[in-house]
Amino acid sequence: MTISLKASLKGASLRRYLELLQMLVERNLKGRYRGSFLGVYWSLLNPLIMTGLYAAIFGTAFAQYFDNSTFNYILAAFTGLIVINFFSASTTQALASVVGNGGLLNKVRLPITIFPVSMIVANIFQFVMGPLPLLAIVTLIISKNPLNVIALILPLIALSFVCTGVGFFVSALYVFFRDLPYFYELVCFVLWISSPVFYPVEIVPTAVQSFLLLNPLIPIIESIRQISLSGDLPDVILILHSFFNGFILLVLGWICFRSWQKNFMDLL
């Protein structure tokens, strides 16, 4: 009887959490794109425009690293851009989520973790509606293997773990340090410039390449490119590396958030 009651209470709490999450995600998306013509498809238009610029400027110079094909360079740049854009947008929005809802938290008892999570989920929905279908079509055309299309989900799940972990950490830290957004812009820039988005990793000096391993987005980008553009079966090592980074960051972010949470209400 006791076990059944505990399970029932946990189930009710989970349902309430999911209902709140759905409400916050819908509020976020409606507020973000109210009056917008393209709506969530801006998440696709942005990397397409940037890809076109990179191809025009760097396509000829870097095509030799992509089987002497400018088209391959375009696809590689696009896959890198959608990853870095997703990370930057979702974590930046998560950063301000707790402080931005401080007034609501002072009036209503809510699970605080739901605010950064809702920002990540909103961006996942945006990604699924925007870049993912195009990426899936490209993968199917190049690999001619539906398994590769399905396998795309794996590095994208790892990317969600990375973003959620970082979102927990920066949203908690922002409660205490209100200058964090300015510093975090620099962090996102460093991650972008240290990721092989518009340049091949081969041009990076060997001495610097070891430092690039600290960037958790690189194995995710490389895994998506390998699945989508190589035509080979998914590389399990790259996928496991992506998941390892994602799991570590998710756990560390969660621990920091839960450890600092008890001091939030005094500062909100």
Side-chain angles (χ1 to χ4, degrees):
M1 178 66 73
T2 304
I3 295 175
S4 177
L5 181 60
K6 288 182 178 179
S8 178
L9 290 174
K10 287 182 179 179
S13 298
L14 179 60
R15 282 196 299 273
R16 179 172 178 268
Y17 192 93
L18 293 176
E19 288 171 358
L20 286 170
L21 181 61
Q22 180 182 356
M23 181 188 70
L24 288 173
V25 169
E26 289 178 355
R27 186 187 72 170
N28 179 283
L29 291 171
K30 288 178 181 178
R32 189 184 307 175
Y33 295 113
R34 183 178 290 114
S36 171
F37 179 71
L38 291 177
V40 296
Y41 295 105
W42 278 110
S43 62
L44 174 60
L45 185 62
N46 181 282
L48 285 177
I49 292 174
M50 292 300 296
T51 299
L53 288 173
Y54 286 151
I57 298 171
F58 302 111
T60 303
F62 291 153
Q64 59 180 311
Y65 296 97
F66 298 91
D67 298 327
N68 291 313
S69 171
T70 303
F71 180 68
N72 286 350
Y73 172 78
I74 290 172
L75 295 178
F78 176 74
T79 55
L81 279 166
I82 60 176
V83 170
I84 199 69
N85 283 2
F86 178 87
F87 174 87
S88 179
S90 61
T91 56
T92 300
Q93 291 161 23
L95 181 149
S97 61
V98 174
V99 172
N101 288 281
L104 180 62
L105 287 169
N106 280 307
K107 296 176 183 177
V108 184
R109 184 179 177 84
L110 294 170
I112 304 180
T113 57
I114 202 168
F115 293 108
V117 170
S118 68
M119 294 299 178
I120 305 299
V121 173
N123 279 276
I124 290 173
F125 175 82
Q126 185 175 264
F127 186 90
V128 169
M129 296 299 295
L132 184 58
L134 180 57
L135 183 62
I137 291 170
V138 169
T139 302
L140 185 60
I141 292 173
I142 293 177
S143 69
K144 300 179 177 60
N145 188 347
L147 178 63
N148 283 39
V149 178
I150 298 171
L152 278 175
I153 298 172
L154 298 176
L156 294 177
I157 291 174
L159 176 62
S160 300
F161 285 173
V162 169
C163 295
T164 304
V166 173
F168 279 142
F169 180 75
V170 295
S171 62
L173 198 61
Y174 184 41
V175 176
F176 305 98
F177 303 103
R178 298 303 172 91
D179 289 335
L180 185 61
Y182 306 106
F183 176 73
Y184 192 65
E185 285 183 11
L186 178 60
V187 172
C188 288
F189 175 77
V190 170
L191 285 174
W192 169 69
I193 206 69
S194 64
S195 301
V197 174
F198 64 92
Y199 61 85
V201 72
E202 290 85 355
I203 70 170
V204 179
T206 305
V208 179
Q209 287 188 17
S210 57
F211 291 99
L212 297 185
L213 296 176
L214 299 174
N215 185 339
L217 299 180
I218 290 180
I220 294 172
I221 293 172
E222 292 301 318
S223 180
I224 293 175
R225 284 176 176 169
Q226 189 274 326
I227 293 170
S228 301
L229 310 179
S230 70
D232 299 327
L233 290 174
D235 187 328
V236 177
I237 301 300
L238 276 175
I239 292 173
L240 290 176
H241 189 183
S242 303
F243 266 96
F244 177 77
N245 289 345
F247 180 75
I248 293 297
L249 287 172
L250 180 60
V251 171
L252 290 176
W254 171 259
I255 290 173
C256 290
F257 192 96
R258 296 293 292 180
S259 299
W260 301 337
Q261 182 177 331
K262 59 182 179 294
N263 299 315
F264 285 179
M265 299 312 298
D266 296 331
L267 299 169
L268 292 176

